[in-house]
Amino acid sequence: MSKEKFNFNIRTDLAIETREMVRKEQDIEVPGVKVTVEEQKEKKITVTWVEIINKEGEKQMGKPIGNYVTVESPLMKENDVEAHEEIIKILAKQLVKIKNLKEHEVILIVGLGNWNITPDALGPKVISKVFVTRHLLENVPKQIDASVRPVSAISPGVMGITGIETSEIIQGIVKKIKPDLVIAIDALASRKTSRVNTTIQIADTGVHPGSGVGNKRKGLNKETLGVPVIAIGVPTVVDAATLVNDTMNHLIEAMLQEATPSTNFYEMLNKLNEEEKYVLIKEVLNPYVGNLFVTPKEIDEVIDRLAYIIANALNIALHPGIDLKDINRYNN
């Protein structure tokens, strides 16, 4: 069975998880993929930079050549102001690193998702908190500090609300205002419950709107828009099959510890690979729950916290004259 099919069936939007699955399946480091990891143990923050460097890596990972950065911390979803401030600084640093912006470049920020559905409302929530400055620079340029870049922002909604493909809306805006960079924020899906609402991924390869709920639309990337696209996403849901699959893995591990190696049933369980288990579970669940996605019960508060983190990281990264003290002063 090809790795492309393997990666497609196991539901995740995170490059770090795809790399973990392929590496586990092959028992070697993924060819064509370079990985670096940084940890800040005090705040429990881990930064993993996955770089797909050639066609072999692209084939193995099932993702385009490019950079995928994940910032992980279990404190993201908690009400921990100090940890959030540190995460903001680290995220802003990674944003600057992944795209070295030139002075006065025009930025368009797009908040993808459905503001009526909380797990899918991350993009619109971020848009409500970013500093938009393009209109100020056009109308009162002398009063604005030179270190503030022209930034526009929009939350175009979803096709179920507008009747229009998100990519068509963004293409029209890009054609009119001619930004140098598009930054798209969207909800994602994870294959590990531990990464839901605790992981932010930045990618310089663009995004497929609706990917977090398994409803991929036409992509937003350099090929479709004609300008570079940075994607920022947070896994806010897992599908039911993934949740059961993880539970089954823990169950099998516990059962294997108690079973004798000669027992055929447990040998069979031990030989099942991730895809076989996932496909089996999905087939069993489908008649009863269909394409069900699961999100934590405290999702309302968590989405607000994540939107605050991402928006302020963008504010710092895009406007060199602004730091966290300025943001806190403005918010107060």
Side-chain angles (χ1 to χ4, degrees), residues 26-85:
Q26 297 180 345
D27 200 28
I28 58 172
E29 188 52 78
V30 184
V33 176
K34 180 181 178 182
V35 180
T36 56
V37 181
E38 299 176 9
E39 291 187 73
Q40 193 201 89
K41 294 183 179 179
E42 183 182 351
K43 298 295 183 183
K44 302 179 182 178
I45 303 171
T46 303
V47 179
T48 306
W49 194 290
V50 177
E51 183 182 3
I52 301 177
I53 57 180
N54 57 31
K55 290 292 184 181
E56 177 64 19
E58 186 177 65
K59 180 180 178 182
Q60 293 287 336
M61 294 282 287
K63 295 181 181 296
I65 293 171
N67 297 287
Y68 302 82
V69 186
T70 54
V71 178
E72 299 178 78
S73 174
L75 299 177
M76 278 186 196
K77 62 181 179 180
E78 305 297 334
N79 188 19
D80 189 327
V81 176
E82 289 186 3
H84 291 177
E85 289 182 348

Side-chain angles (χ1 to χ4, degrees), residues 61-327:
M61 294 282 287
K63 295 181 181 296
I65 293 171
N67 297 287
Y68 302 82
V69 186
T70 54
V71 178
E72 299 178 78
S73 174
L75 299 177
M76 278 186 196
K77 62 181 179 180
E78 305 297 334
N79 188 19
D80 189 327
V81 176
E82 289 186 3
H84 291 177
E85 289 182 348
E86 191 61 32
I87 294 167
I88 287 168
K89 292 176 184 177
I90 291 173
L91 186 61
K93 181 181 177 181
Q94 301 307 315
L95 284 165
V96 171
K97 186 177 177 181
I98 202 168
K99 181 69 173 70
N100 186 19
L101 293 174
K102 298 177 182 177
E103 192 175 351
H104 303 307
E105 283 192 321
V106 178
I107 314 298
L108 172 63
I109 304 176
V110 180
L112 300 169
N114 188 339
W115 47 75
N116 296 316
I117 302 174
T118 305
D120 197 33
L122 177 67
K125 289 270 189 180
V126 170
I127 293 303
S128 70
K129 300 177 188 298
V130 296
F131 296 158
V132 290
T133 55
R134 179 174 175 266
H135 61 303
L136 298 175
L137 289 165
E138 285 187 350
N139 296 320
V140 286
K142 292 181 181 180
Q143 284 75 22
I144 303 299
D145 191 287
S147 61
V148 175
R149 286 195 178 91
V151 173
S152 303
I154 186 171
S155 180
V158 294
M159 191 164 67
I161 294 175
T162 65
I164 308 170
E165 279 276 7
T166 302
S167 59
E168 294 174 343
I169 297 173
I170 305 307
Q171 283 172 345
I173 295 171
V174 167
K175 185 177 180 180
K176 181 67 177 179
I177 70 172
K178 297 179 173 58
D180 299 291
L181 174 69
V182 172
I183 300 176
I185 299 100
D186 199 10
L188 306 177
S190 172
R191 73 159 303 275
K192 288 187 177 180
T193 53
S194 62
R195 285 198 170 108
V196 173
N197 297 326
T198 66
T199 304
I200 298 172
Q201 176 176 267
I202 310 168
D204 60 7
T205 57
V207 65
H208 286 272
S211 62
V213 290
N215 185 26
K216 290 190 178 182
R217 315 303 306 180
K218 188 176 179 182
L220 302 177
N221 50 43
K222 190 172 183 179
E223 288 69 34
T224 59
L225 298 182
V227 296
V229 178
I230 300 294
I232 303 176
V234 176
T236 60
V237 296
V238 291
D239 69 345
T242 294
L243 192 63
V244 175
N245 186 58
D246 283 351
T247 305
M248 186 175 175
N249 284 341
H250 294 305
L251 179 63
I252 290 172
E253 288 175 7
M255 294 173 72
L256 287 172
Q257 290 176 1
E258 302 295 329
T260 57
S262 59
T263 306
N264 292 335
F265 175 69
Y266 292 112
E267 287 181 359
M268 179 196 70
L269 290 178
N270 198 30
K271 290 178 181 178
L272 285 175
N273 63 33
E274 290 295 318
E275 181 174 8
E276 290 168 338
K277 283 184 287 185
Y278 181 87
V279 172
L280 175 63
I281 292 166
K282 196 167 184 178
E283 288 179 354
V284 171
L285 289 177
N286 191 58
Y288 304 100
V289 299
N291 192 22
L292 178 67
F293 286 83
V294 182
T295 195
K297 64 179 181 179
E298 68 276 9
I299 189 65
D300 296 87
E301 294 85 358
V302 173
I303 287 293
D304 284 337
R305 291 169 190 151
L306 290 166
Y308 170 83
I309 290 170
I310 294 172
N312 288 328
L314 284 168
N315 290 333
I316 293 171
L318 297 180
H319 306 296
I322 294 177
D323 59 22
L324 200 52
K325 290 181 180 178
D326 297 320
I327 291 170

